[in-house]
Amino acid sequence: MTTGLHLPGGGAPEPGPHDQADRTAAHVDHGTRSSVITARAAATFEPVGRSVATARSFVRDTLQGWGFADVIDDAVVLTSELVTNAVVHAGTAAEVLCLRSENSVRIEVGDRYPEREIPLQQSAVNMGSPDREGGRGLQLCAALAGHWGVEYSPTHKHVWFALELPDRPVGTRSAGPSLPTDVLPLADGRVRVAVVQIDRAGTISSWNEDAETLFGYAADQVTGKPLTDFAAWPHTPGISTGIAEALQLSRWEGSYGIRSAQGRVTPVYASHLRVRDADGEPSTVCLLVRDHERAVLQTPLRVAQSDQSASSGDGSSADPFEVFIGSPAPDDLDGLLQRTVERARDMLDGDAAFLLLATDDETELEVRASTGLPSARQRFARVPVEAGPGRYGSARMPAVHEDLTVVPGAVPLLGGTGMRSVVTVPLKVEGRLTGSLGVAAESPGRYSNEEALRLQFAADRIALAVESARLGELERLRRGSLSFLVEASDLLAGTLDRDQTLALMAQMTVPTLATWCAVYTIADQSSDPYLSYVLHEDEERIDGLKALLSRIDPPDPVPTPGARIWNAPAKAAHEAALRTSMRNLDLGEPPSLAAGVGTTLATASAVGGETVVLPLVARNRVIGMLTLGKPTDEHFRQEILELAEDLSRRAALALDNARLYSERTAISQSLQRSLLPPELVQVPGVEVDVIYRAAGEGNEVGGDFYDLFPIREGAYGFAIGDVCGTGPEAAAVTGLARHALRLLAREGFGGPAVLERLNSAILDEGARSRFLTLLYGELWPQEDGSAILKVVCAGHPLPLRLRQDGTVEPAAEPQPLLGVMDDLELYEQTVTLDPGDILLCVTDGVTERREGSRMLGDDGLAEVLATSTGLTAGAVAARVMRAVERFASDAPSDDMAILAMRVPGLHTD
């Protein structure tokens, strides 16, 4: 079923939702006394059997809310028959429209089966037997309705009927049904009604004879004393309002007790009415009867009586909840609350309605649904329940305010809305305050205690369903929050990059938690907050938002946990929009300003709502602030703020970890770069090129190293080595080896002596020492274009020589590695590179490159080198690196260094 409820603001057109010119009609003019529609309610019912009972409930609920109890039974019977014709016999959806005027109600039932022949009232066609299943609806219309008819359109057929309200003489009102004598309320002889008047201070100023008889006090014994001295008020759990507060309400009904002169408590039923005396002073008139005689004063609960008499199609009693809320009831909390405020508004013929739910601690009420009010401004706004300015003082009991201009602030939610009168009732479950339901009108004096009782009856029917839906939503939010935080933690833990962490923080909050987000960072305790990242759900607003935030002072870096309100962005946006608008009104401004006006106004709207700041605290230090904002007139829910607080704690730690990692990486890379030669030395007559790859994230050098340096005039030293392991420990031995080689070589030591002394230095490191494979050589370019090399290969992969004819051969013999034995006997070998020859030196990260059980090895390296004849030294090194990378799909697990030298000869292109 789909429904729509409407309250026209003034006069309405003739009854009926369709005014097509081509509609033909066969009907009798309904001739109602007033054709001005004051309210309408519409619903559509699917073509299923249960829709008949649902339609009856819809009509009963609508007419009961309008106060048309006199015609409910006839209207329900007629609606039931006409909807049955539509959904059962015609097999189409039924559209039910209720129209209210001052003196009548008109109900239309439409279906989509217009070709079916419908007998006309003025024709002589036999309308059928009353006992026949079909065609009975029109007979009932003719019998029960004052006016009825059938209207056609090309696609729809509408059967309508109008029921006039009976005229009531002045001074009378509708009453309940007549009852058998044996079920009438019992009274003790004469029914006595105590009339007690209470002044504005709560003291008794009048006490009549019936009060003396009922309670045993003479008037002079009680006059001038507070009523609270005699009243025994029931302190029901969850109800904090006492007798003193009840006396301040405009109207109130209920039970309590009066302590008699004999000390006994006499249960009474009371009706309080707030009045003014001849001097204009407010006072309260209390009418009291014995509690078992409450029928004398108690306002008839017409809704309850109609609900008890309502029955579904199968003869069982109708569900009071469905009578008020409609069937089927919305299955989500927001839908249920919105349906509730709409039905409450129409039930009391109000201009607006609202529903607030209590927070978990029941100290505040949060607006969750409204109609007829600026919902975007009011949604999720909060007001205190018990104390403080702007408190919602009447939340725990029914209350009627005849004119809010007399008691400003009584209902803070309605401030500035134009509403004058309001009735509010609590939603309670097992004595706990769970919410408040209110209906308001733009004119004063619209509501009395009777409307409060009717609204309270409806609130009692929906309170449990609302609380159940609220708890279900809360559970879903908690599960969703846990999933959100788990996913956020995984994403934040997956990166150590500071900029990426900032981006993730913003992207996780927008739009899930907020409309826009800004992250401020603080480098150290002496630094000011810096605007590091800005994000808005509308990308076109990011630049304007960033410019706005850059012009205002950042929020204070307060370490206090939790979200705090920050008004500066909204204030700055409002001022900027105002200045721009004023400049635009100046006729002397250039036309190009118009685009700027639109941008400024859009930015102001984007940040004009609530803005909160959450500190980013890590390791007992504020490292930044997470700022979340809403657009104009929107507020954050408490659950969202709590979730944002949890996220800010995780994000702060991730951001600080990224900062520490960046600092450590920068220091490590700075130290590691010092272990490599800043640039290659140019050797006359020899091409030299190097490729270096360090294994491990963030490493620029590890256990592998290379060097090329001048020793003396015409002589150059070169080295390529591999320290056991990778990382900083290996890099320490790398630095020792590289600097020792340069120092010893320039002191005039030959190759074997240099390596023997380096071996001793490594062993002197003790437990920190690591073994080292090293290829060291000295290079002398010759005048004929060749080059002479003297090399020592200490445990290192052998250097390979490529001749011009494509043959590849080792250029040295293997000898013991360094850092293992004290006494080494090393020797050097002499190699002559002819013009066009290439010497290739690599570390074992190249030759030991693996793919499963396969390894590149010395033979694979030789095959790659054999195909490099005629290439430059740089091309040879690049070809070898490509071959190594393509040999396996996995990333290299060991450092790699490639040193290629080529003797081009005297005459080269």
Side-chain angles (χ1 to χ4, degrees):
M1 180 189 75
T2 58
T3 63
L5 301 176
H6 313 278
L7 284 178
E14 287 291 324
H18 304 284
D19 295 317
Q20 294 95 334
D22 59 346
R23 171 187 282 186
T24 60
H27 65 278
V28 177
D29 185 8
H30 55 79
T32 54
R33 285 167 289 180
S34 174
S35 61
V36 177
I37 299 172
T38 59
R40 65 178 69 216
T44 301
F45 303 92
E46 298 300 321
V48 293
R50 65 175 181 273
S51 293
V52 178
T54 308
R56 286 198 298 267
S57 298
F58 166 70
V59 171
R60 181 180 298 278
D61 177 55
T62 300
L63 299 188
Q64 184 68 61
W66 289 347
F68 290 173
D70 305 85
V71 298
I72 283 180
D73 292 337
D74 290 346
V76 167
V77 170
L78 294 176
T79 302
S80 179
E81 291 297 329
L82 296 179
V83 172
T84 300
N85 289 340
V87 303
V88 176
H89 303 301
T92 73
E95 300 170 355
V96 179
L97 174 65
C98 300
L99 301 174
R100 183 187 71 183
S101 63
E102 295 178 359
N103 300 302
S104 67
V105 60
R106 168 171 165 151
I107 297 178
E108 295 185 7
V109 178
D111 61 46
R112 300 178 183 178
Y113 195 56
E115 66 273 15
R116 184 177 181 182
E117 181 181 356
I118 301 296
L120 306 181
Q121 184 180 14
Q122 61 265 39
S123 69
V125 178
N126 182 12
M127 299 179 64
S129 169
D131 299 327
R132 194 176 57 150
E133 183 179 4
R136 191 170 52 192
L138 296 180
Q139 279 190 311
L140 291 175
C141 286
L144 300 179
H147 311 281
W148 67 277
V150 182
E151 299 177 354
Y152 289 99
S153 73
T155 58
H156 289 73
K157 174 183 90 264
H158 291 265
V159 180
W160 63 268
F161 60 88
L163 300 173
E164 294 189 5
L165 302 178
D167 291 322
R168 295 174 180 154
V170 176
T172 65
R173 54 171 295 169
S174 61
S178 57
L179 297 175
T181 303
D182 56 350
V183 298
L184 294 175
L186 291 175
D188 297 337
R190 174 187 168 191
V191 175
R192 299 184 181 274
V193 179
V195 180
V196 182
Q197 191 158 359
I198 314 297
D199 63 19
R200 67 184 311 166
T203 59
I204 299 173
S205 59
S206 176
W207 184 269
N208 73 342
E209 293 181 359
D210 281 354
E212 293 182 6
T213 303
L214 287 174
F215 309 121
Y217 296 106
D220 57 356
Q221 292 179 280
V222 297
T223 302
K225 295 182 180 180
L227 179 65
T228 53
D229 290 351
F230 306 95
W233 188 262
H235 295 286
T236 306
I239 301 178
S240 63
T241 304
I243 181 65
E245 288 80 3
L247 293 174
Q248 300 299 316
L249 299 177
S250 57
R251 292 206 60 164
W252 183 87
E253 280 188 26
S255 299
Y256 55 93
I258 296 294
R259 295 183 180 88
S260 66
Q262 292 77 27
R264 294 191 302 269
V265 174
T266 302
V268 297
Y269 188 85
S271 175
H272 301 171
L273 174 64
R274 191 80 162 155
V275 298
R276 285 183 297 170
D277 59 21
D279 298 328
E281 290 294 321
S283 62
T284 303
V285 176
C286 304
L287 306 179
L288 303 97
V289 297
R290 297 181 181 91
D291 191 64
H292 64 273
E293 297 172 345
R294 63 170 57 201
V296 175
L297 298 180
Q298 188 172 21
T299 302
L301 297 178
R302 293 185 299 172
V303 175
Q305 293 170 357
S306 64
D307 283 343
Q308 292 170 1
S309 63
S311 59
S312 58
D314 57 4
S316 59
S317 297
D319 185 352
F321 170 76
E322 289 192 355
V323 169
F324 175 73
I325 208 65
S327 178
D331 56 2
D332 63 298
L333 177 61
D334 287 338
L336 177 62
L337 299 182
Q338 192 62 35
R339 178 82 65 81
T340 298
V341 296
E342 291 172 355
R343 290 297 174 87
R345 176 198 62 189
D346 294 325
M347 184 178 74
L348 298 187
D349 193 15
D351 297 311
F354 52 89
L355 191 147
L356 302 91
L357 292 185
T359 55
D360 290 341
D361 56 6
E362 299 183 10
T363 60
E364 290 183 307
L365 292 172
E366 183 180 63
V367 181
R368 291 300 303 271
S370 65
T371 181
L373 297 174
S375 58
R377 176 170 66 86
Q378 306 290 354
R379 187 167 172 80
F380 301 125
R382 293 190 170 200
V383 290
V385 175
E386 295 298 345
R391 75 185 185 97
Y392 203 127
S394 59
R396 295 189 180 274
M397 65 182 303
V400 176
H401 297 280
E402 295 184 351
D403 193 346
L404 291 177
T405 59
V406 178
V407 282
V411 184
L413 176 64
L414 300 180
T417 62
M419 300 298 161
R420 296 284 298 276
S421 55
V422 61
V423 53
T424 62
V425 297
L427 275 68
K428 294 181 180 180
V429 175
E430 297 180 351
R432 294 186 304 105
L433 177 69
T434 61
S436 177
L437 176 62
V439 178
E442 295 178 352
S443 57
R446 285 279 295 276
Y447 303 114
S448 64
N449 194 53
E450 181 179 353
E451 281 79 12
L453 293 175
R454 292 176 59 198
L455 190 61
Q456 183 67 71
F457 184 84
D460 292 342
R461 294 301 179 268
I462 66 168
L464 185 59
V466 169
E467 179 68 2
S468 177
R470 186 186 73 86
L471 293 177
E473 180 194 65
L474 185 60
E475 181 62 24
R476 288 191 297 273
L477 285 175
R478 288 173 177 169
R479 289 199 301 266
S481 299
L482 290 176
S483 300
F484 173 78
L485 292 174
V486 169
E487 182 178 357
S489 299
D490 289 343
L491 290 173
L492 292 171
T495 179
L496 288 172
D497 182 83
R498 175 182 176 276
D499 293 337
Q500 188 173 0
T501 302
L502 290 172
L504 284 174
M505 290 170 58
Q507 291 167 5
M508 285 185 294
T509 57
V510 177
T512 305
L513 305 181
T515 305
W516 63 269
C517 168
V519 183
Y520 292 84
T521 57
I522 304 175
D524 52 61
Q525 294 182 354
S526 61
S527 301
D528 293 329
Y530 174 74
L531 181 62
S532 299
Y533 201 92
V534 175
L535 183 66
H536 193 282
E537 65 179 3
D538 184 355
E539 294 183 357
E540 296 181 356
R541 302 283 174 261
I542 294 178
D543 292 339
L545 177 59
K546 185 181 299 183
L548 176 71
L549 295 177
S550 300
R551 291 195 298 267
I552 63 177
D553 294 332
D556 295 330
V558 179
T560 305
R564 69 181 192 275
I565 302 297
W566 186 34
N567 296 319
K571 182 178 179 182
H574 176 74
E575 292 176 352
L578 182 60
R579 288 195 301 270
T580 305
S581 299
M582 292 177 66
R583 288 199 304 268
N584 190 48
L585 293 174
D586 188 354
L587 298 179
E589 288 290 339
S592 60
L593 183 63
V597 173
T599 302
T600 303
L601 294 178
T603 302
S605 176
V607 301
E610 189 174 59
T611 302
V612 297
V613 178
L614 298 107
L616 299 174
V617 181
R619 298 175 176 90
N620 298 320
R621 186 174 72 88
V622 180
I623 64 171
M625 286 87 70
L626 178 64
T627 303
L628 306 179
K630 288 281 192 179
T632 301
D633 294 333
E634 289 197 19
H635 302 267
F636 286 97
R637 295 182 59 183
Q638 185 63 29
E639 295 84 355
I640 296 298
L641 294 179
E642 293 172 357
L643 182 58
E645 185 178 355
D646 282 341
L647 176 63
S648 67
R649 287 194 291 266
R650 290 164 168 79
L653 187 58
L655 184 61
D656 200 46
N657 288 340
R659 177 188 63 83
L660 294 175
Y661 177 78
S662 299
E663 292 177 357
R664 193 208 69 169
T665 301
I667 294 173
S668 175
Q669 290 176 350
S670 177
L671 293 175
Q672 289 173 356
R673 282 193 296 268
S674 68
L675 302 179
L676 295 176
E679 60 183 11
L680 286 178
V681 177
Q682 297 295 322
V683 180
V686 179
E687 294 178 2
V688 181
D689 207 325
V690 174
I691 294 179
Y692 184 89
R693 295 286 189 273
E697 183 181 359
N699 291 330
E700 290 191 1
V701 71
D704 291 9
F705 69 95
Y706 65 91
D707 203 358
L708 177 64
F709 56 91
I711 299 176
R712 52 189 174 273
E713 184 68 28
Y716 299 86
F718 68 92
I720 183 169
D722 185 1
V723 179
C724 174
T726 60
E729 295 82 3
V733 180
T734 298
L736 172 64
R738 176 171 172 266
H739 294 294
L741 288 175
R742 288 193 172 209
L743 178 63
L744 293 172
R746 289 169 178 170
E747 288 294 324
F749 292 98
V754 170
L755 267 62
E756 289 170 359
R757 283 166 173 75
L758 177 59
N759 181 63
S760 298
I762 294 174
L763 292 175
D764 288 344
E765 291 293 309
R768 296 183 299 174
S769 66
R770 290 172 176 250
F771 64 81
L772 167 67
T773 68
L774 180 64
L775 173 65
Y776 174 74
E778 295 180 0
L779 170 67
W780 288 273
Q782 302 299 306
E783 293 182 356
D784 60 359
S786 64
I788 296 176
L789 288 77
K790 291 183 179 182
V791 298
V792 180
C793 187
H796 199 77
L798 299 178
L800 299 178
R801 176 183 180 179
L802 173 64
R803 296 183 181 274
Q804 288 187 358
D805 59 3
T807 60
V808 178
E809 60 184 8
E813 296 178 353
Q815 300 183 61
L817 74 167
L818 307 181
V820 178
M821 298 180 294
D822 290 330
D823 298 326
L824 291 178
E825 295 183 2
L826 302 175
Y827 58 92
E828 62 183 8
Q829 296 174 274
T830 302
V831 179
T832 300
L833 294 181
D834 297 325
D837 288 355
I838 295 176
L839 184 71
L840 177 66
C841 310
V842 301
T843 58
D844 60 5
V846 175
T847 57
E848 295 180 1
R849 178 71 163 152
R850 293 180 179 275
E851 174 69 18
S853 60
R854 298 187 307 118
M855 185 172 70
L856 180 63
D858 296 333
D859 294 338
L861 181 61
E863 291 177 4
V864 175
L865 183 60
T867 64
S868 303
T869 304
L871 299 180
T872 64
V876 172
R879 175 170 289 189
V880 172
M881 180 55 72
R882 283 197 303 271
V884 172
E885 292 174 344
R886 294 173 179 175
F887 187 80
S889 58
D890 296 337
S893 59
D894 195 4
D895 304 330
M896 294 185 293
I898 301 172
L899 172 63
M901 292 186 291
R902 177 177 179 266
V903 181
L906 295 177
H907 304 286
T908 59
D909 294 333

